[in-house]
Amino acid sequence: MMDMDQDPRKRLCFADGRRKVDYVLVYHYRKRSSVRGSPSQHRLSIISNGSYPLGVEEKDQEGGKDEPAEVVVDVGPPDPADGEKIMIREEFEGNLKDAGLEIEHDKENKAHGHAFIRLHAPWQVLSREAEFLKIKVPTKKSYELREEKGLAATMNEAWRKLNQPFQPKVPHQEQEHSRTKFLSHCFSRDKLHLSQSLFPGILRCPLFCLTGITTLIANGVYDSAFPLHDGDFHPSGQAEGKNDRQLLHDEWARYGAFYKYQPVDLIRKYFGEKIGLYFAWLGVYTQLLIPASVVGIIVFFYGWATVETNIPSQEMCDEDQNFTMCPLCDRACDYWHLSTACGTARASHLFDNPATVFFAIFMSLWAAMFLEHWKRRQISLNYSWDLTGMEEEEVHSHTYIVTLCYSMLTSTAETETHTYILPLVTLNVFLPSQTGHEKLTWRDRLPGYLINISSILFMFGMTCSAVFSVIIYRITISALMAMSPDPEVKSNVRVTVTATAVIINLVVILILDEIYGMVAAWLTELEIPKTETNFEERLILKAFLLKFMNAYAPIFYVAFFKGRFAGRPGDYVYVFNDYRMEECAPGGCLIELCIQLSIIMLGKQLIQNNIFEIGIPKLKKLCRTLKDKERAPKEIVEQPGRRQQWHLDYDLEPFDGLTPEYMEMIIQFGFVSLFVASFPLAPLFALLNNVIEIRLDAKKFVTELRRPDAIRAKDIGIWYNILSGLGKFSVIINAFVISFTSDFIPRLVYQYMYSETGTMHGFINHTLSYFNVSNFKPGTVPSISSLGKDITFCRYKDYREPPWSTEPYQFSKQYWSVLAARLGFVILFQNLVITMSMLVAWVIPDVPKNISEQLKKEKTLLVDVFLNEEKEKLQLIQSLFSRDLTQEQQEELKVSDQTSLPLQTQLGPLPPTSVNHAYLKRLILTRPPVWNDPSTWRP
């Protein structure tokens, strides 16, 4: 222990200081004592179906010492659950030993607390798993890339020099730009002599013998399980002595490195391909937000620069026009002049101008380009990380295993005696084939599906109820403030109500988000998905649907429903028979949509994505520490000396998966793409958030979370399909926002159909209809009017016939003309943008040309390498046997060589040392069918 304290690297090893700790299992124990033998051998055979004897007396393969023939037993309170868990742990650890792993236990010198089991995977286990997973390793064969010449080479070199200051200072970074490439092939223990290096690919391979640990943790057998971090964290370490964790902190997790590219290869090396792909995707998304932000700023400043020359805004602000508007509420509200809404009209022009249409088209194409660019980047990473041709292994989900075991055991006669162990029969879950023909039927899944459908519909109804409650709040508060005798309060009704309602919406969204996340996980477990991939995909889909509905329901209401069903003067729609449905502001609903979108987007990013990510992990860590102190009595005696790395890692927050990280970015992508026509600055705020988000996530992964399991993955999974769906949906949403929420179409119709001068002069008067105040219902006329008693007509925003018409207050011809133009624009916009998006996707190939050429070349060279190797082996075998065979046998051998596969595939691997003549002769003579039976030959 003293040596381990002196050398930090030994703190990552077993007690011998040589074998590295690859994985740690943790469980909680109480005061223990030792007894000879195994008191529960017969009960253990029930759990394992009698297929596995206890392995407590096996020899340690590495140390060669016998383990003491004693079993640690809990002599605390007589809880049968603890006894079952002890037996399950013993058998599971025995299975791990059978699989080749080496185990080291803690020396228990505490009354009770946490026990740490350290696992080491020797070379034999790693090579076996690597061969099973077909992990690719580089060979000694290399080739030179074609040298670029001319303008392309000059531009690439200039671009590389410009990017040099933004590159992270990571060792071996220069190899990425090397023109020498090494061939890669699937690892095989028979071809070790061809491999140039076996690292780091083999050391990252997951161990399938640990697959069942998730189920054991879910059932309380183990408290947690995690791989070990690369040593303690030292920010001030020297560059030459830094481990990967220190490098990631200095070049990735510090805020001072915000301007640098992410060290994606180092992230993948340390955390695995799945997490590496997430951060690579986040980097591509953030990078492409830069041009979108620049265009959004230009559109915003265009609106700001043209607000003084905008004719509709000038007409609304012109007090000489003297548009007397109808009251905004019954009795308490007075008539008012349209010029008092001058500020709203000017602010609305910042976002509702001709450039908005261009920006909506640009963002739709931007979404298509983003997806295409990510596909190319993903394929490039697959090539550089040697993931091409990878086959993902399906692992049974813990929910499926527990349910299947329960279903199998409830059909036996011993169910009544051993009821507790039903959910814990998971000792051999890493061998799913042992379940045989047993499988879950539709009767097992039907209750889960019914609960899922009804629960999701209930959650949708809850979201709509929350939105409706906020609507009622807006209506009632508006009416109450309008009755106030204070004129200042009356003048700020709309601003106050809008701001407070949006804040309430934001709080409700944040609360329901947390609830919906837990509900989605519970509903997914009820479905009993068969594999972990299916479990993850269904969980993601449910969580996305619920959170999408929660985040966007208030925005959809303002964009497409607010003011549509309010009615008209003399025939308003009432809620609870007393309160009128709310209407849009005089400048239109687009400015309110902008306010709603900006506050919800910025609030979610600031509170949920940043403050929660910093505060919640620290709060959970504090609660866990306090809980451990309460559960552990004062007589606990800690081990002397410095705490080991597994103790430090256990104090960190457990890793909960990438779903929350992806989800917040996908919701943000929706804010950027769906309603971008109403808020051109959304990409800019998303960019600023993501620059901080990357560093927050990096710091969290490096310093605050336990090291996640390295999971191999070729793509980002179902998230790409969600992004693609959002991109297509954004085209429809933006088309309707421009057509029905903004005044873009009414302005075009007026300018080209009804304007006498072909300009926008008279547009405001054209959009306002007349109402005869004598037609107000009794009790709705303003009680006190400051504008005088000689008002005969008031105006309201709508296309309706005047009171003196033969059909008063019916929709006018202008209304139907504008409606037809709006529907026509939606069809034109959708077809145009979708066609252009398809053109962009067709023009940009999914596979970069250089990678396609390299893959073809490497395939040809790799075949030549293996053929040459087989040819050399065959020539060696023939030369050794030529002096023992007759002339006739030699001729037959030459004929068979021309038609059959090289002998190595049939003979198996040669001895690792020198080739022995007698060995080869014995091997050939004992396997005559290989030579004589053509059916054993393979082309």
Side-chain angles (χ1 to χ4, degrees):
M1 291 295 295
M2 293 301 295
D3 292 339
M4 292 172 69
D5 288 338
Q6 293 175 0
D7 187 355
R9 289 175 295 182
K10 290 187 177 181
R11 295 173 56 243
L12 305 175
C13 301
F14 278 12
D16 57 14
R18 294 184 294 106
R19 292 174 291 172
K20 187 176 181 298
V21 177
D22 296 313
Y23 211 82
V24 179
L25 305 178
V26 187
Y27 65 91
H28 186 77
Y29 72 94
R30 284 176 289 186
K31 187 175 180 180
R32 293 167 175 258
S33 63
S34 299
V35 297
R36 291 286 171 179
S38 177
S40 302
Q41 179 89 19
H42 64 286
R43 296 184 68 191
L44 183 61
S45 62
I46 295 176
I47 301 177
S48 62
N49 297 324
S51 61
Y52 181 76
L54 275 174
V56 296
E57 299 182 357
E58 294 181 358
K59 292 185 177 181
D60 188 291
Q61 297 181 2
E62 185 72 22
K65 296 181 181 180
D66 291 341
E67 296 185 356
E70 60 181 19
V71 179
V72 179
V73 190
D74 194 340
V75 295
D79 186 358
D82 291 341
E84 299 292 349
K85 292 177 183 178
I86 291 173
M87 291 186 292
I88 291 175
R89 277 198 296 270
E90 289 175 349
E91 184 164 352
F92 183 74
E93 291 166 19
N95 287 335
L96 295 182
K97 289 182 180 180
D98 279 354
L101 297 181
E102 298 171 4
I103 301 179
E104 182 181 68
H105 294 80
D106 271 346
K107 294 181 179 179
E108 299 171 357
N109 59 354
K110 298 184 290 185
H112 60 269
H114 289 100
F116 294 85
I117 302 173
R118 295 169 290 283
L119 307 179
H120 169 72
W123 166 252
Q124 293 83 355
V125 176
L126 290 175
S127 58
R128 180 194 69 210
E129 298 288 334
E131 188 169 4
F132 176 72
L133 293 174
K134 300 180 181 179
I135 291 179
K136 290 189 176 182
V137 293
T139 66
K140 299 176 182 177
K141 178 68 175 178
S142 63
Y143 67 96
E144 296 292 328
L145 295 177
R146 186 177 60 185
E147 185 176 358
E148 295 181 347
K149 297 180 181 180
L151 181 61
T154 305
M155 293 180 63
N156 288 338
E157 182 65 22
W159 179 253
R160 191 177 69 84
K161 290 182 178 180
L162 287 174
N163 277 334
Q164 191 62 34
F166 305 103
Q167 297 296 335
K169 296 179 181 178
V170 177
H172 312 298
Q173 187 78 17
E174 303 82 14
Q175 295 181 1
E176 295 183 4
H177 306 288
S178 175
R179 307 204 65 80
T180 301
K181 298 294 182 181
F182 290 90
L183 299 179
S184 297
H185 74 102
C186 294
F187 174 78
S188 174
R189 286 171 285 185
D190 298 337
K191 301 187 185 310
L192 288 177
H193 57 285
L194 294 178
S195 302
Q196 176 202 32
S197 172
L198 303 179
F199 302 96
I202 290 183
L203 294 184
R204 281 196 319 271
C205 68
L207 301 175
F208 275 88
C209 48
L210 287 170
T211 302
I213 195 64
T214 305
T215 307
L216 297 179
I217 292 175
N219 288 282
V221 179
Y222 289 99
D223 186 34
S224 60
F226 51 88
L228 214 58
H229 270 298
D230 280 356
D232 200 0
F233 167 64
H234 301 291
S236 59
Q238 298 296 325
E240 59 272 12
K242 292 179 180 179
N243 54 38
D244 289 343
R245 191 184 186 192
Q246 294 169 338
L247 285 172
L248 285 172
H249 176 269
D250 293 345
E251 300 299 325
W252 182 45
R254 291 189 304 110
Y255 287 105
F258 75 93
Y259 63 91
K260 291 185 178 182
Y261 289 101
Q262 298 183 91
V264 178
D265 291 333
L266 184 60
I267 297 171
R268 171 251 185 174
K269 175 187 174 184
Y270 192 75
F271 292 112
E273 285 81 1
K274 190 170 185 178
I275 294 178
L277 282 174
Y278 163 71
F279 282 104
W281 173 84
L282 183 57
V284 170
Y285 172 50
T286 304
Q287 210 172 356
L288 287 181
L289 280 174
I290 296 176
S293 302
V294 172
V295 177
I297 294 173
I298 294 173
V299 170
F300 176 77
F301 277 106
Y302 170 81
W304 177 76
T306 58
V307 68
E308 297 296 337
T309 60
N310 182 45
I311 297 176
S313 298
Q314 292 177 354
E315 290 184 348
M316 285 189 68
C317 297
D318 188 3
E319 296 182 1
D320 297 334
Q321 296 279 355
N322 196 23
F323 294 115
T324 302
M325 306 299 293
C326 295
L328 297 176
C329 64
D330 295 340
R331 295 186 300 273
C333 296
D334 194 4
Y335 301 102
W336 56 285
H337 289 303
L338 186 61
S339 57
T340 58
C342 177
T344 305
R346 293 169 64 89
S348 179
H349 180 73
L350 296 176
F351 307 101
D352 188 3
N353 55 70
T356 304
V357 181
F358 160 76
F359 189 59
I361 297 175
F362 170 81
M363 288 304 297
S364 298
L365 297 179
W366 173 87
M369 292 184 66
F370 163 61
L371 294 175
E372 292 301 319
H373 183 66
W374 167 244
K375 280 197 292 188
R376 290 170 61 87
R377 174 65 171 157
Q378 187 172 259
I379 290 176
S380 299
L381 291 175
N382 284 339
Y383 171 73
S384 61
W385 293 351
D386 292 323
L387 297 177
T388 53
M390 186 195 83
E391 298 178 1
E392 297 185 5
E393 298 292 333
E394 294 292 347
V395 180
H396 286 260
S397 67
H398 66 278
T399 307
Y400 179 83
I401 294 171
V402 170
T403 308
L404 183 60
C405 292
Y406 186 88
S407 176
M408 293 170 60
L409 288 178
T410 50
S411 61
T412 64
E414 299 177 352
T415 303
E416 296 181 359
T417 307
H418 305 283
T419 54
Y420 177 76
I421 65 173
L422 292 179
L424 300 177
V425 184
T426 53
L427 300 175
N428 293 321
V429 292
F430 52 88
L431 297 175
S433 60
Q434 292 184 2
T435 59
H437 63 279
E438 297 288 343
K439 63 179 182 179
L440 299 178
T441 63
W442 65 271
R443 291 186 178 87
D444 300 316
R445 301 179 187 273
L446 182 60
Y449 288 141
L450 294 177
I451 296 175
N452 263 265
I453 296 173
S454 57
S455 299
I456 290 176
L457 293 177
F458 175 75
M459 295 300 165
F460 283 171
M462 182 186 297
T463 302
C464 295
S465 300
V467 174
F468 184 72
S469 300
V470 176
I471 295 172
I472 299 301
Y473 164 82
R474 294 165 63 109
I475 294 172
T476 53
I477 297 300
S478 298
L480 293 175
M481 291 184 68
M483 298 176 187
S484 174
D486 189 351
E488 186 175 352
V489 173
K490 286 187 175 182
S491 61
N492 295 322
V493 170
R494 192 174 295 276
V495 176
T496 305
V497 171
T498 301
T500 55
V502 173
I503 293 174
I504 293 174
N505 269 326
L506 176 61
V507 173
V508 172
I509 288 172
L510 295 178
I511 295 174
L512 290 181
D513 258 359
E514 301 301 321
I515 297 175
Y516 288 165
M518 295 183 289
V519 170
W522 175 67
L523 293 178
T524 307
E525 291 182 352
L526 291 180
E527 284 190 18
I528 321 174
K530 186 173 183 180
T531 64
E532 286 292 344
T533 302
N534 289 339
F535 184 92
E536 185 179 16
E537 288 181 350
R538 296 184 185 190
L539 173 61
I540 290 170
L541 191 58
K542 290 182 184 62
F544 171 74
L545 289 176
L546 294 175
K547 293 189 177 185
F548 179 88
M549 184 73 176
N550 182 41
Y552 294 106
I555 301 174
F556 271 95
Y557 164 73
V558 175
F560 303 120
F561 298 101
K562 185 177 180 181
R564 310 289 175 186
F565 310 102
R568 59 170 179 81
D571 190 22
Y572 285 114
V573 177
Y574 289 87
V575 179
F576 304 131
N577 297 322
D578 290 323
Y579 301 104
R580 276 168 41 181
M581 284 293 293
E582 56 182 349
E583 303 176 65
C584 291
C589 279
L590 194 67
I591 185 63
E592 295 189 40
L593 177 61
C594 174
I595 296 172
Q596 185 98 5
L597 178 63
S598 59
I599 293 180
I600 292 178
M601 177 182 177
L602 297 179
K604 277 181 63 68
Q605 290 182 351
L606 179 64
I607 298 175
Q608 191 175 45
N609 299 359
N610 294 327
I611 295 179
F612 281 10
E613 286 195 5
I614 298 173
I616 288 183
K618 294 185 181 298
L619 186 62
K620 287 183 177 179
K621 182 179 178 180
L622 178 62
C623 293
R624 192 170 62 250
T625 304
L626 295 176
K627 183 178 179 181
D628 291 342
K629 287 182 179 180
E630 292 177 358
R631 186 167 56 178
K634 295 181 179 180
E635 61 266 18
I636 291 180
V637 180
E638 293 289 342
Q639 293 183 357
R642 188 178 178 183
R643 299 184 74 200
Q644 302 305 309
Q645 186 62 43
W646 43 90
H647 297 126
L648 299 175
D649 284 6
Y650 180 74
D651 291 340
L652 301 177
E653 186 70 18
F655 176 66
D656 293 329
L658 288 173
T659 300
E661 311 297 335
Y662 272 114
M663 187 65 69
E664 63 187 48
M665 290 294 105
I666 296 297
I667 297 296
Q668 184 201 84
F669 180 80
F671 285 126
V672 169
S673 58
L674 289 180
F675 295 93
V676 73
S678 63
F679 189 42
L681 295 180
L684 175 63
F685 289 110
L687 174 63
L688 297 177
N689 173 80
N690 287 5
V691 171
I692 301 174
E693 176 75 17
I694 289 176
R695 305 308 158 184
L696 276 178
D697 283 348
K699 184 176 179 63
K700 181 173 67 174
F701 273 81
V702 174
T703 64
E704 297 177 3
L705 292 180
R706 297 172 191 166
R707 190 175 183 177
D709 294 335
I711 301 177
R712 303 179 78 212
K714 294 178 63 177
D715 50 43
I716 60 176
I718 194 175
W719 295 112
Y720 182 84
N721 299 330
I722 294 175
L723 284 169
S724 180
L726 281 177
K728 294 179 173 61
F729 191 46
S730 67
V731 178
I732 302 173
I733 295 300
N734 282 305
F736 277 94
V737 168
I738 295 172
S739 296
F740 290 90
T741 309
S742 74
D743 284 337
F744 176 74
I745 298 300
R747 287 197 295 263
L748 285 181
V749 172
Y750 173 77
Q751 184 175 1
Y752 293 104
M753 291 184 63
Y754 298 102
S755 176
E756 297 179 357
T757 60
T759 62
M760 294 302 297
H761 290 287
F763 172 72
I764 297 299
N765 183 56
H766 178 76
T767 59
L768 298 177
S769 299
Y770 288 90
F771 178 76
N772 193 332
V773 297
S774 62
N775 295 331
F776 273 122
K777 291 182 179 180
T780 61
V781 181
S783 57
I784 301 176
S785 177
S786 60
L787 298 182
K789 298 183 179 180
D790 56 347
I791 298 176
T792 307
F793 299 100
C794 63
R795 311 292 295 272
Y796 61 99
K797 191 174 181 180
D798 206 345
Y799 292 100
R800 291 183 180 268
E801 296 290 344
W804 54 83
S805 173
T806 55
E807 297 179 349
Y809 308 126
Q810 297 299 315
F811 288 120
S812 62
K813 294 181 180 179
Q814 289 87 345
Y815 170 83
W816 300 110
S817 300
V818 171
L819 179 61
R822 282 172 166 168
L823 295 176
F825 177 83
V826 169
I827 297 173
L828 177 64
F829 184 89
Q830 290 181 13
N831 286 278
L832 175 65
V833 174
I834 290 176
T835 302
M836 295 176 69
S837 301
M838 293 174 62
L839 182 63
V840 169
W842 178 74
V843 169
I844 302 176
D846 294 343
V847 183
K849 184 178 179 182
N850 59 333
I851 291 181
S852 178
E853 293 176 351
Q854 291 178 35
L855 286 173
K856 293 178 182 178
K857 187 173 184 179
E858 289 183 3
K859 186 176 181 180
T860 304
L861 292 175
L862 199 60
V863 170
D864 292 340
V865 169
F866 288 141
L867 287 178
N868 290 335
E869 182 204 11
E870 299 293 343
K871 184 177 180 181
E872 291 175 0
K873 289 182 180 179
L874 183 60
Q875 290 176 352
L876 176 62
I877 294 174
Q878 289 177 343
S879 64
L880 292 174
F881 278 98
S882 59
R883 52 190 175 188
D884 292 344
L885 298 177
T886 63
Q887 184 69 24
E888 183 179 352
Q889 289 174 331
Q890 291 184 19
E891 292 180 357
E892 292 179 357
L893 183 61
K894 290 180 181 179
V895 172
S896 64
D897 290 343
Q898 297 174 0
T899 58
S900 64
L901 188 72
L903 295 180
Q904 179 65 18
T905 58
Q906 301 290 347
L907 298 179
L910 295 178
T913 57
S914 59
V915 179
N916 186 283
H917 182 203
Y919 165 80
L920 292 174
K921 184 175 182 179
R922 176 177 54 82
L923 191 61
I924 297 297
L925 293 179
T926 55
R927 297 177 65 182
V930 175
W931 297 87
N932 301 330
D933 185 7
S935 64
T936 62
W937 302 346
R938 285 176 289 178

